Amino acid sequence: MTKRWTFTKTPYFYTPRAVTDFMAKMINPQIGEQVADFACGTGGFLTSWLKELAPKVKTTEDQAAYDTSIYGIEKKQFPYMLCITNMLLHGIDVPKIYHDNSLLKDVLDYTLDDQFDVILMNPPYGGNEKTEVKNHFPADLASSETADLFISVIMYRLKKNGRAAVILPDGFLFGTDNAKVAIKKKLFSEFNLHTVIRMPHSVFAPYTSITTNILFFDHTKPTEETWFYRLDMPEGYKNFSKTKPMELKHFDPAMDWWNNREEINVDGFDKAKKYTEEEIAARNYNIDLCGYPHEEEEILPPKELIQQYQEKRASLNADIDRILTQITEILGIDLEGE
């Protein structure tokens, strides 16, 4: 498993191997492609990529391509060293893993040489970035939230026709503050967000109770339609835990559905449904769809409860501001005037 850090004092946590393996399977690595993780921790996504790619190595040329197929950046010294070690243990003699901060370069300066065929990531989230970090992004994309900034980095560093699978918290889906809306507009208008997998709570237990999602998109065309699929807790499980962690087999329903997609409704609630880009735009890019209707109320640690409250309040305030602006424009009222 790989560790994940936010860029503030928020604790790091593990991405379960089942999740990294599922994402790598759905991405379907090919010989000759390069994968990147810009907050790679100890290298969990990269090892899942190598595991999926290895059976496709047939020639010495394939082996050479396999050996140069991974790229990672990690800010923290200790996990960076562990990632190097991890890659060496997986037979990568000269691992392209760098000790750096992926958010400290102007995204507009990235060239084709800085782009990758595939990006697999669980960006740090829950942290807030300072102005010096936000200055590396266009003004409309300059969110304070770490995960938002990483999704922008991913968009600028994904090759044309490239593919990405990224874990993001619920806050990204329902957030309608100006920066989040701008980021999602860019994602939908320049990339094909074809699938969102809603993951059940406690996937990252006991490190965090924040609910997360996997966004699959490619750099082929603007989004025309997006499928949402809710992965329910497996039978016999109330929560995942250290002693009962998520396993790859728990993704079997999603993998079965993946190649034979159909809309599914359970007890009057959507479990799988397709939405057009126009429908999503009409929701002001609130893509909190096919969620969990029957989850029991969970008592969160005070810090996480406050963070969720702040995020939801910011989203609500942004909605109110947008509606008030529309009303004042229709009525021709100048609130700035005397």
Side-chain angles (χ1 to χ4, degrees):
M1 291 188 284
T2 184
K3 288 183 178 180
R4 280 288 172 262
W5 285 260
T6 64
F7 286 61
T8 65
K9 295 181 180 179
T10 307
Y12 57 78
F13 53 93
Y14 292 92
T15 304
R17 177 54 53 87
V19 178
T20 63
D21 283 353
F22 168 72
M23 291 167 67
K25 278 183 177 294
M26 297 300 98
I27 280 292
N28 190 21
Q30 300 297 315
I31 296 294
E33 293 181 328
Q34 275 201 320
V35 66
D37 183 344
F38 306 125
C40 63
T42 58
F45 280 100
L46 302 180
T47 56
S48 290
W49 165 273
L50 293 171
K51 184 167 69 174
E52 282 297 308
L53 189 61
K56 300 175 182 178
V57 175
K58 306 298 182 184
T59 66
T60 54
E61 289 80 8
D62 291 349
Q63 185 64 51
Y66 172 92
D67 292 341
T68 57
S69 67
I70 57 102
Y71 175 96
I73 298 176
E74 175 52 46
K75 180 187 178 185
K76 300 286 187 178
Q77 177 70 33
F78 186 56
Y80 159 73
M81 292 189 296
L82 290 178
C83 186
I84 292 284
T85 304
N86 197 1
M87 295 303 105
L88 293 171
L89 292 173
H90 279 80
I92 306 299
D93 294 334
V94 187
K96 289 182 286 186
I97 308 296
Y98 301 94
H99 184 214
D100 203 355
N101 184 341
S102 300
L103 299 181
L104 292 182
K105 179 174 179 178
D106 287 1
V107 291
L108 297 178
D109 290 341
Y110 286 122
T111 67
L112 293 178
D113 292 337
D114 299 308
Q115 296 181 336
F116 295 88
D117 303 291
V118 176
I119 297 173
L120 287 171
M121 280 195 71
N122 177 12
Y125 49 82
N128 290 310
E129 299 298 340
K130 297 179 180 178
T131 302
E132 63 175 298
V133 173
K134 293 163 62 177
N135 285 342
H136 294 289
F137 296 80
D140 60 330
L141 306 180
S143 171
S144 296
E145 162 62 40
T146 308
D148 294 349
L149 298 178
F150 266 101
I151 194 69
S152 291
V153 170
I154 291 166
M155 289 190 287
Y156 278 99
R157 301 198 69 175
L158 186 63
K159 277 186 179 179
K160 186 65 179 174
N161 297 318
R163 311 186 302 289
V166 184
I167 297 174
L168 289 170
D170 276 2
F172 179 82
L173 269 59
F174 65 67
T176 53
D177 60 84
N178 291 339
K180 276 188 173 62
V181 169
I183 292 166
K184 285 186 275 191
K185 278 184 178 178
K186 181 177 178 67
L187 179 60
F188 277 87
S189 64
E190 299 180 25
F191 299 81
N192 175 31
L193 176 61
H194 55 82
T195 309
V196 177
I197 303 292
R198 310 296 304 265
M199 288 199 288
H201 71 91
S202 73
V203 167
F204 291 92
Y207 307 103
T208 179
S209 57
I210 295 174
T211 309
T212 54
N213 313 271
I214 309 173
L215 277 64
F216 291 90
F217 57 93
D218 54 58
H219 198 180
T220 58
K221 61 179 182 179
T223 302
E224 296 175 1
E225 58 186 33
T226 303
W227 278 96
F228 292 80
Y229 178 88
R230 186 183 75 232
L231 182 67
D232 292 318
M233 191 70 71
E235 189 174 348
Y237 281 70
K238 185 176 181 181
N239 297 289
F240 295 118
S241 65
K242 275 189 173 182
T243 55
K244 291 180 68 176
M246 191 175 201
E247 300 176 42
L248 183 59
K249 66 182 181 181
H250 296 147
F251 280 102
D252 284 350
M255 288 191 275
D256 292 341
W257 169 85
W258 186 275
N259 292 318
N260 298 284
R261 301 189 177 198
E262 60 178 2
E263 295 193 347
I264 304 170
N265 187 282
V266 179
D267 296 331
F269 295 96
D270 291 321
K271 176 180 171 68
K273 188 173 175 64
K274 177 174 62 177
Y275 290 85
T276 66
E277 191 281 334
E278 289 79 8
E279 289 173 317
I280 289 169
R283 295 172 51 86
N284 196 32
Y285 296 92
N286 178 338
I287 52 175
D288 183 15
L289 299 162
C290 295
Y292 294 85
H294 297 304
E295 281 195 9
E296 295 179 7
E297 187 174 350
E298 187 175 7
I299 299 175
L300 300 177
K303 184 173 182 179
E304 290 188 13
L305 190 63
I306 291 170
Q307 286 176 334
Q308 285 196 6
Y309 168 74
Q310 289 176 329
E311 197 166 43
K312 290 180 179 179
R313 184 178 66 177
S315 175
L316 181 60
N317 285 342
D319 276 341
I320 293 171
D321 289 343
R322 175 176 56 81
I323 293 168
L324 286 176
T325 299
Q326 292 173 347
I327 292 172
T328 54
E329 287 177 353
I330 291 170
L331 298 178
I333 299 173
D334 180 8
L335 297 177
E336 301 296 328
E338 295 181 359

